[in-house]
Amino acid sequence: METISIKTKSRNEFVDLTREINQAVKKSGVQEGLCLVYVPHTTAGITINEGADPDVVSDILQHLEEMVPAGKRFLHAEGNSDAHIKSTLVGASQLIPVTGGKLALGTWQAVFLCEFDGPRARNVFLQVVPVGK
Ligand code: ZN
């Protein structure tokens, strides 16, 4: 298993990890297979969306905030229930096909760590698994 360790900078933020993940896929030597990208955290997530226009990420973050406002009253005493709910909406992992030794992403797709309770130190676990033809 490979680990990407990063420090996020804001409470809510998407961090594009496409390049680092493709480097890990290359290092694994797997040409055809699957890459599991997973966060072992309860207030973060992994998503795939547009990496070209940063306004897309801004719009997603703004609308998640409108859906689950941080200032709302929640039971969880730690005060970060909005971050837990956003994490569950986004999900903790993505499974991405690998072909030709790299992620089979569309032209505009990027893989993001989603931070909902930063700034924090975060780990992203990667497992690259070969698949027979
Ligand atoms: Zn909490």
Coordinates of all heavy atoms in Angstrom, one line a residue, residues 31-123:
Q31 N 0.1 -2.4 -15.3 CA -0.3 -1.8 -16.6 C -1.8 -1.8 -16.7 O -2.4 -0.8 -17.2 CB 0.3 -2.6 -17.7 CG 1.8 -2.4 -17.9 CD 2.1 -0.9 -18.3 OE1 1.6 -0.4 -19.2 NE2 2.9 -0.3 -17.4
E32 N -2.5 -3.0 -16.3 CA -3.9 -3.1 -16.4 C -4.5 -3.5 -15.1 O -4.0 -4.5 -14.5 CB -4.3 -4.1 -17.5 CG -3.8 -3.9 -18.9 CD -4.4 -2.6 -19.5 OE1 -5.6 -2.4 -19.3 OE2 -3.6 -1.8 -20.1
G33 N -5.4 -2.7 -14.5 CA -5.9 -3.1 -13.2 C -6.8 -2.0 -12.6 O -7.6 -1.3 -13.3
L34 N -6.8 -1.9 -11.3 CA -7.6 -1.0 -10.6 C -6.8 -0.3 -9.5 O -5.9 -0.9 -8.9 CB -8.7 -1.8 -9.8 CG -9.7 -2.5 -10.7 CD1 -10.6 -3.5 -9.9 CD2 -10.7 -1.5 -11.4
C35 N -7.2 1.0 -9.3 CA -6.5 1.8 -8.2 C -7.6 2.2 -7.2 O -8.5 3.0 -7.6 CB -5.8 3.0 -8.8 SG -5.0 4.0 -7.6
L36 N -7.4 1.7 -6.0 CA -8.3 2.1 -4.9 C -7.7 3.3 -4.3 O -6.5 3.3 -3.9 CB -8.5 1.0 -3.9 CG -9.3 1.4 -2.7 CD1 -10.8 1.6 -3.1 CD2 -9.2 0.3 -1.6
V37 N -8.4 4.4 -4.2 CA -8.0 5.6 -3.5 C -8.9 5.8 -2.3 O -10.2 5.9 -2.5 CB -8.1 6.9 -4.4 CG1 -7.5 8.1 -3.7 CG2 -7.4 6.6 -5.7
Y38 N -8.4 5.9 -1.1 CA -9.2 5.8 0.1 C -8.7 6.7 1.2 O -7.4 6.8 1.4 CB -9.1 4.3 0.6 CG -9.7 4.1 2.0 CD1 -11.1 4.0 2.2 CD2 -8.9 4.0 3.1 CE1 -11.6 3.8 3.4 CE2 -9.4 3.8 4.4 CZ -10.8 3.7 4.5 OH -11.3 3.5 5.8
V39 N -9.6 7.4 1.9 CA -9.1 8.3 3.0 C -9.6 7.6 4.3 O -10.8 7.3 4.5 CB -9.7 9.7 3.0 CG1 -8.8 10.6 2.2 CG2 -11.1 9.8 2.7
P40 N -8.7 7.4 5.3 CA -9.1 6.8 6.6 C -9.5 7.9 7.6 O -9.0 8.0 8.7 CB -7.8 6.2 7.0 CG -6.7 7.0 6.5 CD -7.2 7.6 5.2
H41 N -10.4 8.8 7.1 CA -10.8 9.9 8.0 C -12.3 10.1 7.9 O -12.9 9.8 6.9 CB -10.1 11.2 7.5 CG -8.7 11.2 7.4 ND1 -7.9 11.1 8.6 CD2 -7.8 11.2 6.4 CE1 -6.6 11.1 8.2 NE2 -6.5 11.1 6.9
T42 N -12.9 10.7 8.9 CA -14.4 10.8 9.0 C -14.9 12.2 8.6 O -16.1 12.4 8.5 CB -14.9 10.5 10.4 OG1 -14.3 11.4 11.3 CG2 -14.6 9.0 10.8
T43 N -14.0 13.1 8.3 CA -14.4 14.4 7.9 C -13.7 14.8 6.6 O -13.5 16.0 6.4 CB -14.1 15.5 9.0 OG1 -12.8 15.4 9.4 CG2 -15.0 15.2 10.2
A44 N -13.3 13.9 5.8 CA -12.7 14.1 4.5 C -13.4 13.1 3.5 O -14.1 12.3 3.9 CB -11.2 13.9 4.6
G45 N -13.0 13.3 2.2 CA -13.6 12.3 1.2 C -12.7 12.3 0.0 O -11.7 13.0 -0.1
I46 N -13.1 11.5 -0.9 CA -12.4 11.4 -2.2 C -13.5 11.5 -3.3 O -14.5 10.8 -3.3 CB -11.7 10.0 -2.4 CG1 -10.6 9.8 -1.4 CG2 -11.1 9.9 -3.8 CD1 -9.4 10.6 -1.5
T47 N -13.2 12.4 -4.3 CA -14.2 12.5 -5.4 C -13.4 12.7 -6.7 O -12.2 13.0 -6.7 CB -15.2 13.6 -5.2 OG1 -16.3 13.4 -6.1 CG2 -14.6 15.0 -5.4
I48 N -14.1 12.4 -7.8 CA -13.6 12.7 -9.1 C -14.5 13.7 -9.8 O -15.7 13.5 -9.8 CB -13.6 11.4 -10.0 CG1 -12.7 10.3 -9.3 CG2 -13.1 11.7 -11.4 CD1 -12.8 8.9 -10.0
N49 N -13.9 14.8 -10.2 CA -14.6 15.8 -11.0 C -13.7 16.7 -11.8 O -12.5 16.3 -11.9 CB -15.5 16.6 -10.0 CG -16.8 17.0 -10.7 OD1 -16.9 17.7 -11.7 ND2 -17.9 16.5 -10.1
E50 N -14.2 17.8 -12.3 CA -13.4 18.6 -13.3 C -12.2 19.2 -12.6 O -12.4 19.9 -11.5 CB -14.3 19.7 -13.9 CG -13.5 20.6 -14.7 CD -14.3 21.3 -15.8 OE1 -15.4 20.9 -16.2 OE2 -13.8 22.3 -16.3
G51 N -11.1 19.1 -13.2 CA -9.9 19.7 -12.7 C -9.4 20.8 -13.5 O -8.4 21.5 -13.1
A52 N -10.0 21.2 -14.6 CA -9.6 22.2 -15.5 C -10.0 23.6 -15.0 O -9.2 24.5 -14.9 CB -10.0 22.0 -16.9
D53 N -11.3 23.8 -14.7 CA -11.8 25.1 -14.3 C -12.1 25.1 -12.8 O -12.9 24.4 -12.3 CB -13.2 25.3 -15.0 CG -13.8 26.6 -14.6 OD1 -13.2 27.4 -13.8 OD2 -14.9 27.0 -15.1
P54 N -11.3 25.8 -12.0 CA -11.4 25.8 -10.6 C -12.7 26.3 -10.1 O -13.1 26.0 -8.9 CB -10.2 26.7 -10.1 CG -9.8 27.5 -11.3 CD -10.2 26.7 -12.5
D55 N -13.5 27.0 -11.0 CA -14.8 27.4 -10.6 C -15.8 26.3 -10.3 O -16.7 26.4 -9.5 CB -15.5 28.3 -11.7 CG -14.9 29.7 -11.7 OD1 -14.2 30.1 -10.7 OD2 -15.1 30.4 -12.7
V56 N -15.5 25.1 -10.9 CA -16.4 23.9 -10.7 C -16.2 23.5 -9.2 O -17.2 23.3 -8.5 CB -16.0 22.8 -11.6 CG1 -16.7 21.5 -11.2 CG2 -16.3 23.2 -13.1
V57 N -15.0 23.4 -8.7 CA -14.7 23.0 -7.3 C -15.3 24.1 -6.4 O -16.0 23.7 -5.4 CB -13.2 22.8 -7.1 CG1 -12.9 22.8 -5.6 CG2 -12.7 21.5 -7.7
S58 N -15.2 25.3 -6.7 CA -15.7 26.4 -5.9 C -17.3 26.3 -5.8 O -17.8 26.4 -4.7 CB -15.4 27.8 -6.4 OG -14.0 28.0 -6.4
D59 N -17.9 26.0 -6.9 CA -19.4 25.8 -6.9 C -19.8 24.6 -6.1 O -20.8 24.6 -5.4 CB -19.9 25.6 -8.4 CG -19.9 26.9 -9.1 OD1 -19.8 28.0 -8.5 OD2 -20.0 26.9 -10.4
I60 N -19.0 23.5 -6.2 CA -19.4 22.3 -5.4 C -19.2 22.6 -4.0 O -20.1 22.2 -3.2 CB -18.5 21.1 -5.8 CG1 -18.7 20.6 -7.3 CG2 -18.6 19.9 -4.9 CD1 -17.7 19.6 -7.8
L61 N -18.1 23.2 -3.6 CA -17.9 23.5 -2.1 C -19.0 24.5 -1.6 O -19.6 24.3 -0.5 CB -16.5 24.1 -1.9 CG -15.4 23.2 -2.0 CD1 -14.0 23.9 -2.0 CD2 -15.4 22.2 -0.8
Q62 N -19.4 25.5 -2.4 CA -20.4 26.4 -2.0 C -21.7 25.7 -1.8 O -22.5 26.0 -0.8 CB -20.5 27.6 -3.0 CG -21.4 28.7 -2.4 CD -21.8 29.7 -3.5 OE1 -21.0 30.0 -4.3 NE2 -23.1 30.0 -3.5
H63 N -22.1 24.8 -2.7 CA -23.4 24.2 -2.6 C -23.5 23.1 -1.6 O -24.5 22.9 -0.9 CB -23.8 23.7 -4.0 CG -24.3 24.8 -4.9 ND1 -25.7 25.1 -5.0 CD2 -23.7 25.8 -5.5 CE1 -25.8 26.2 -5.8 NE2 -24.6 26.6 -6.1
L64 N -22.3 22.4 -1.3 CA -22.3 21.5 -0.1 C -22.5 22.3 1.1 O -23.2 21.9 2.0 CB -20.9 20.8 -0.1 CG -20.8 19.6 -1.0 CD1 -19.3 19.1 -1.0 CD2 -21.7 18.4 -0.7
E65 N -21.9 23.5 1.2 CA -22.1 24.4 2.4 C -23.5 24.8 2.6 O -24.1 24.8 3.7 CB -21.1 25.6 2.3 CG -21.0 26.4 3.5 CD -20.5 25.6 4.8 OE1 -19.7 24.8 4.6 OE2 -21.0 25.9 5.9
E66 N -24.2 25.1 1.4 CA -25.6 25.5 1.5 C -26.5 24.3 1.9 O -27.5 24.5 2.6 CB -26.1 26.1 0.1 CG -25.5 27.5 -0.1 CD -25.8 27.9 -1.5 OE1 -26.6 27.3 -2.3 OE2 -25.1 28.9 -1.9
M67 N -26.1 23.1 1.4 CA -26.9 21.9 1.8 C -26.7 21.6 3.3 O -27.7 21.1 3.9 CB -26.4 20.7 1.0 CG -26.9 20.7 -0.5 SD -25.9 19.6 -1.5 CE -26.5 18.0 -0.8
V68 N -25.5 21.7 3.8 CA -25.2 21.3 5.2 C -24.4 22.5 5.8 O -23.2 22.5 5.9 CB -24.3 20.1 5.2 CG1 -24.2 19.5 6.6 CG2 -24.8 19.0 4.2
P69 N -25.1 23.5 6.3 CA -24.5 24.7 6.8 C -23.7 24.4 8.1 O -24.3 23.7 9.0 CB -25.6 25.7 7.1 CG -26.8 25.1 6.4 CD -26.6 23.7 6.2
A70 N -22.5 24.9 8.3 CA -21.7 24.6 9.4 C -22.3 25.2 10.7 O -22.1 24.6 11.8 CB -20.3 25.2 9.2
G71 N -23.1 26.3 10.6 CA -23.6 26.9 11.8 C -24.9 26.3 12.3 O -25.5 26.7 13.3
K72 N -25.4 25.2 11.7 CA -26.6 24.6 12.1 C -26.5 23.9 13.4 O -25.4 23.6 13.8 CB -27.1 23.6 11.0 CG -28.5 23.5 10.8 CD -28.9 22.6 9.6 CE -30.3 22.6 9.4 NZ -31.1 21.6 10.1
R73 N -27.6 23.7 14.1 CA -27.5 23.0 15.4 C -27.5 21.5 15.2 O -28.3 20.9 14.6 CB -28.7 23.4 16.3 CG -28.6 23.0 17.7 CD -29.7 23.6 18.5 NE -30.0 22.7 19.7 CZ -29.3 22.6 20.7 NH1 -28.1 23.2 20.8 NH2 -29.6 21.8 21.7
F74 N -26.4 20.8 15.8 CA -26.3 19.4 15.6 C -26.1 18.8 17.0 O -25.7 19.5 18.0 CB -25.0 19.0 14.8 CG -25.1 19.5 13.4 CD1 -24.3 20.6 13.0 CD2 -25.9 18.8 12.4 CE1 -24.4 21.0 11.6 CE2 -25.9 19.3 11.1 CZ -25.2 20.4 10.7
L75 N -26.3 17.5 17.2 CA -26.1 16.8 18.5 C -24.6 16.6 18.8 O -24.2 16.8 20.0 CB -26.8 15.4 18.4 CG -28.3 15.4 18.3 CD1 -28.9 14.0 18.2 CD2 -28.9 16.1 19.6
H76 N -23.8 16.2 17.8 CA -22.4 15.8 18.0 C -21.7 17.0 18.7 O -21.5 18.1 18.1 CB -21.9 15.5 16.6 CG -20.4 15.1 16.6 ND1 -19.9 14.2 17.4 CD2 -19.4 15.5 15.8 CE1 -18.6 14.1 17.1 NE2 -18.3 14.9 16.1
A77 N -21.1 16.7 19.9 CA -20.6 17.8 20.7 C -19.3 18.4 20.2 O -18.9 19.5 20.6 CB -20.4 17.3 22.1
E78 N -18.6 17.7 19.3 CA -17.4 18.1 18.7 C -17.5 19.4 17.8 O -16.5 20.1 17.6 CB -16.7 17.0 18.0 CG -15.2 17.1 17.8 CD -14.6 16.1 17.0 OE1 -15.3 15.3 16.3 OE2 -13.3 16.0 17.0
G79 N -18.8 19.6 17.4 CA -19.0 20.8 16.6 C -18.7 20.7 15.1 O -18.6 21.8 14.5
N80 N -18.4 19.5 14.6 CA -18.1 19.4 13.2 C -19.0 18.4 12.5 O -18.5 17.8 11.5 CB -16.6 19.0 13.1 CG -16.3 17.6 13.7 OD1 -17.1 17.0 14.3 ND2 -15.1 17.1 13.4
S81 N -20.2 18.4 12.9 CA -21.2 17.4 12.2 C -21.3 17.7 10.8 O -21.5 16.8 9.9 CB -22.5 17.4 12.9 OG -22.5 16.5 14.0
D82 N -21.3 19.0 10.4 CA -21.4 19.4 9.0 C -20.3 18.7 8.2 O -20.5 18.1 7.1 CB -21.3 20.9 8.7 CG -20.0 21.5 9.1 OD1 -19.5 21.3 10.3 OD2 -19.3 22.1 8.3
A83 N -19.1 18.6 8.7 CA -18.0 17.9 8.0 C -18.2 16.4 7.9 O -17.9 15.8 6.9 CB -16.7 18.2 8.8
H84 N -18.8 15.8 9.0 CA -19.1 14.4 9.0 C -20.1 14.1 7.9 O -20.0 13.1 7.1 CB -19.6 13.9 10.3 CG -18.5 13.8 11.4 ND1 -17.5 12.9 11.4 CD2 -18.4 14.6 12.5 CE1 -16.8 13.1 12.5 NE2 -17.3 14.1 13.2
I85 N -21.1 15.0 7.8 CA -22.2 14.7 6.8 C -21.7 14.9 5.4 O -22.0 14.1 4.5 CB -23.4 15.7 7.1 CG1 -24.0 15.3 8.4 CG2 -24.4 15.6 6.0 CD1 -25.0 16.4 9.0
K86 N -20.9 16.0 5.2 CA -20.3 16.2 3.8 C -19.4 15.0 3.4 O -19.4 14.6 2.3 CB -19.5 17.5 3.8 CG -20.4 18.7 3.8 CD -19.5 20.0 4.1 CE -20.4 21.2 4.4 NZ -19.6 22.2 5.1
S87 N -18.6 14.4 4.4 CA -17.8 13.3 4.2 C -18.6 12.1 3.7 O -18.3 11.4 2.7 CB -17.0 12.9 5.4 OG -16.4 11.7 5.3
T88 N -19.8 11.9 4.3 CA -20.6 10.8 3.9 C -21.3 11.0 2.6 O -21.4 10.1 1.8 CB -21.7 10.5 5.0 OG1 -21.1 9.7 6.0 CG2 -22.9 9.8 4.5
L89 N -21.6 12.3 2.3 CA -22.2 12.6 1.0 C -21.2 12.3 -0.2 O -21.6 11.7 -1.2 CB -22.6 14.0 0.9 CG -23.9 14.4 1.7 CD1 -24.1 15.9 1.7 CD2 -25.1 13.7 1.1
V90 N -20.0 12.7 0.1 CA -18.9 12.5 -1.0 C -18.4 11.0 -1.0 O -18.1 10.5 -2.1 CB -17.8 13.5 -0.7 CG1 -16.5 13.1 -1.5 CG2 -18.2 14.9 -1.0
G91 N -18.2 10.4 0.2 CA -17.7 9.1 0.2 C -16.2 9.1 0.5 O -15.5 10.0 0.2
A92 N -15.7 7.9 1.1 CA -14.4 7.8 1.5 C -13.4 7.2 0.5 O -12.2 7.2 0.7 CB -14.3 7.0 2.8
S93 N -13.9 6.8 -0.7 CA -13.1 6.1 -1.6 C -13.6 6.3 -3.0 O -14.7 6.6 -3.3 CB -12.9 4.7 -1.3 OG -14.1 4.0 -1.4
Q94 N -12.7 6.0 -4.0 CA -13.0 5.8 -5.4 C -12.2 4.7 -5.9 O -11.0 4.5 -5.5 CB -12.6 7.1 -6.2 CG -13.5 8.3 -5.9 CD -14.9 8.2 -6.5 OE1 -15.1 7.6 -7.5 NE2 -15.9 8.9 -5.8
L95 N -12.7 3.9 -6.8 CA -12.0 2.8 -7.5 C -11.9 3.2 -8.9 O -12.9 3.4 -9.6 CB -12.8 1.5 -7.3 CG -12.1 0.2 -7.8 CD1 -10.8 0.0 -7.0 CD2 -13.1 -1.0 -7.7
I96 N -10.7 3.3 -9.4 CA -10.5 3.9 -10.8 C -9.7 2.8 -11.6 O -8.7 2.2 -11.2 CB -9.6 5.2 -10.6 CG1 -10.2 6.1 -9.6 CG2 -9.4 5.8 -12.0 CD1 -9.3 7.2 -9.2
P97 N -10.2 2.6 -12.9 CA -9.5 1.7 -13.8 C -8.1 2.2 -14.1 O -8.0 3.4 -14.3 CB -10.4 1.6 -15.0 CG -11.6 2.5 -14.7 CD -11.4 3.2 -13.5
V98 N -7.2 1.3 -14.2 CA -5.8 1.6 -14.7 C -5.7 0.9 -16.0 O -5.9 -0.3 -16.2 CB -4.8 1.1 -13.7 CG1 -3.4 1.2 -14.3 CG2 -4.9 1.8 -12.4
T99 N -5.2 1.7 -17.0 CA -4.9 1.1 -18.3 C -3.7 1.8 -18.9 O -3.5 3.0 -18.7 CB -6.1 1.1 -19.3 OG1 -5.9 0.4 -20.4 CG2 -6.5 2.6 -19.7
G100 N -2.8 1.0 -19.6 CA -1.6 1.5 -20.1 C -0.7 2.1 -19.0 O 0.1 3.1 -19.3
G101 N -0.8 1.6 -17.8 CA 0.0 2.1 -16.7 C -0.4 3.4 -16.1 O 0.4 3.9 -15.3
K102 N -1.6 3.9 -16.4 CA -2.1 5.1 -15.7 C -3.6 5.1 -15.5 O -4.3 4.3 -16.1 CB -1.6 6.4 -16.4 CG -1.8 6.4 -17.9 CD -1.2 7.7 -18.5 CE -2.2 8.2 -19.5 NZ -1.7 9.4 -20.1
L103 N -4.0 6.0 -14.7 CA -5.5 6.1 -14.4 C -6.2 6.4 -15.7 O -5.9 7.2 -16.5 CB -5.7 7.3 -13.4 CG -5.1 7.2 -12.1 CD1 -5.3 8.5 -11.3 CD2 -5.6 6.0 -11.3
A104 N -7.4 5.7 -15.9 CA -8.2 5.9 -17.1 C -9.2 7.0 -16.9 O -10.4 6.8 -16.8 CB -8.9 4.6 -17.5
L105 N -8.7 8.2 -16.7 CA -9.5 9.3 -16.5 C -9.9 10.0 -17.8 O -9.2 10.0 -18.7 CB -8.8 10.4 -15.6 CG -8.5 9.9 -14.1 CD1 -7.6 10.9 -13.5 CD2 -9.8 9.7 -13.3
G106 N -11.1 10.6 -17.8 CA -11.5 11.4 -18.9 C -10.7 12.7 -19.0 O -10.0 13.1 -18.0
T107 N -10.7 13.4 -20.1 CA -9.9 14.6 -20.4 C -10.0 15.6 -19.2 O -9.0 16.2 -18.8 CB -10.4 15.3 -21.7 OG1 -10.4 14.3 -22.7 CG2 -9.4 16.4 -22.0
W108 N -11.2 15.8 -18.7 CA -11.4 16.9 -17.7 C -11.4 16.4 -16.3 O -11.6 17.2 -15.3 CB -12.7 17.7 -18.0 CG -12.7 18.1 -19.4 CD1 -13.5 17.6 -20.4 CD2 -11.9 19.1 -20.1 NE1 -13.2 18.3 -21.6 CE2 -12.3 19.2 -21.4 CE3 -10.9 19.9 -19.6 CZ2 -11.6 20.0 -22.3 CZ3 -10.2 20.8 -20.5 CH2 -10.6 20.8 -21.8
Q109 N -11.3 15.1 -16.1 CA -11.4 14.5 -14.7 C -10.1 14.6 -13.9 O -9.0 14.4 -14.5 CB -11.8 13.1 -14.8 CG -13.3 12.8 -15.1 CD -13.6 11.4 -15.1 OE1 -12.9 10.5 -15.7 NE2 -14.7 11.1 -14.5
A110 N -10.3 14.9 -12.7 CA -9.2 14.9 -11.7 C -9.7 14.2 -10.4 O -10.9 14.1 -10.2 CB -8.7 16.3 -11.4
V111 N -8.7 13.7 -9.7 CA -9.1 13.0 -8.4 C -8.7 13.9 -7.3 O -7.6 14.4 -7.2 CB -8.3 11.6 -8.3 CG1 -8.8 10.9 -7.0 CG2 -8.5 10.8 -9.5
F112 N -9.7 14.2 -6.4 CA -9.5 15.2 -5.3 C -9.7 14.5 -4.0 O -10.6 13.7 -3.7 CB -10.6 16.3 -5.4 CG -10.5 17.1 -6.6 CD1 -11.3 16.9 -7.7 CD2 -9.6 18.2 -6.7 CE1 -11.3 17.7 -8.9 CE2 -9.6 19.0 -7.8 CZ -10.4 18.8 -8.9
L113 N -8.8 14.9 -3.1 CA -9.1 14.8 -1.6 C -10.0 15.9 -1.3 O -9.7 17.1 -1.6 CB -7.8 14.9 -0.8 CG -8.0 15.1 0.7 CD1 -8.3 13.8 1.4 CD2 -6.9 15.8 1.4
C114 N -11.1 15.6 -0.6 CA -12.0 16.6 -0.2 C -11.9 16.9 1.3 O -12.1 16.0 2.1 CB -13.5 16.2 -0.4 SG -13.8 15.6 -2.1
E115 N -11.4 18.1 1.7 CA -11.3 18.4 3.1 C -12.5 19.2 3.6 O -12.9 20.1 2.9 CB -10.0 19.3 3.2 CG -9.8 19.9 4.6 CD -9.6 18.8 5.7 OE1 -8.4 18.3 5.8 OE2 -10.6 18.4 6.4
F116 N -13.1 18.7 4.7 CA -14.3 19.4 5.2 C -14.1 19.9 6.7 O -15.0 20.5 7.2 CB -15.5 18.5 5.2 CG -15.8 18.1 3.8 CD1 -15.8 16.7 3.4 CD2 -16.2 19.0 2.8 CE1 -16.2 16.4 2.1 CE2 -16.5 18.7 1.5 CZ -16.5 17.3 1.1
D117 N -12.9 19.6 7.3 CA -12.7 20.1 8.6 C -11.2 20.4 8.8 O -10.6 20.1 9.8 CB -13.1 19.0 9.6 CG -13.3 19.5 11.0 OD1 -13.5 20.7 11.2 OD2 -13.2 18.7 12.0
G118 N -10.7 21.1 7.8 CA -9.2 21.5 7.9 C -9.0 22.8 8.7 O -10.0 23.4 9.2
P119 N -7.8 23.3 8.7 CA -6.6 22.6 8.1 C -6.2 21.4 9.0 O -6.2 21.6 10.2 CB -5.5 23.7 8.1 CG -6.0 24.7 9.0 CD -7.5 24.6 9.2
R120 N -5.8 20.3 8.4 CA -5.4 19.1 9.1 C -4.3 18.4 8.3 O -4.2 18.6 7.1 CB -6.5 18.1 9.3 CG -7.5 18.5 10.4 CD -8.7 17.5 10.3 NE -9.8 17.8 11.2 CZ -10.0 17.2 12.3 NH1 -9.3 16.2 12.7 NH2 -11.0 17.6 13.1
A121 N -3.6 17.5 9.0 CA -2.8 16.5 8.3 C -3.6 15.3 7.8 O -4.4 14.8 8.6 CB -1.7 16.0 9.2
R122 N -3.5 15.0 6.6 CA -4.4 13.9 6.0 C -3.5 12.8 5.3 O -2.5 13.2 4.7 CB -5.4 14.4 5.0 CG -6.4 15.5 5.6 CD -7.3 14.9 6.6 NE -8.5 15.7 6.8 CZ -9.4 15.4 7.7 NH1 -9.4 14.3 8.4 NH2 -10.5 16.2 7.8
N123 N -4.0 11.6 5.4 CA -3.4 10.5 4.6 C -4.4 10.0 3.6 O -5.6 9.9 3.9 CB -3.0 9.3 5.5 CG -1.8 9.7 6.4 OD1 -0.9 10.3 6.0 ND2 -1.9 9.3 7.7

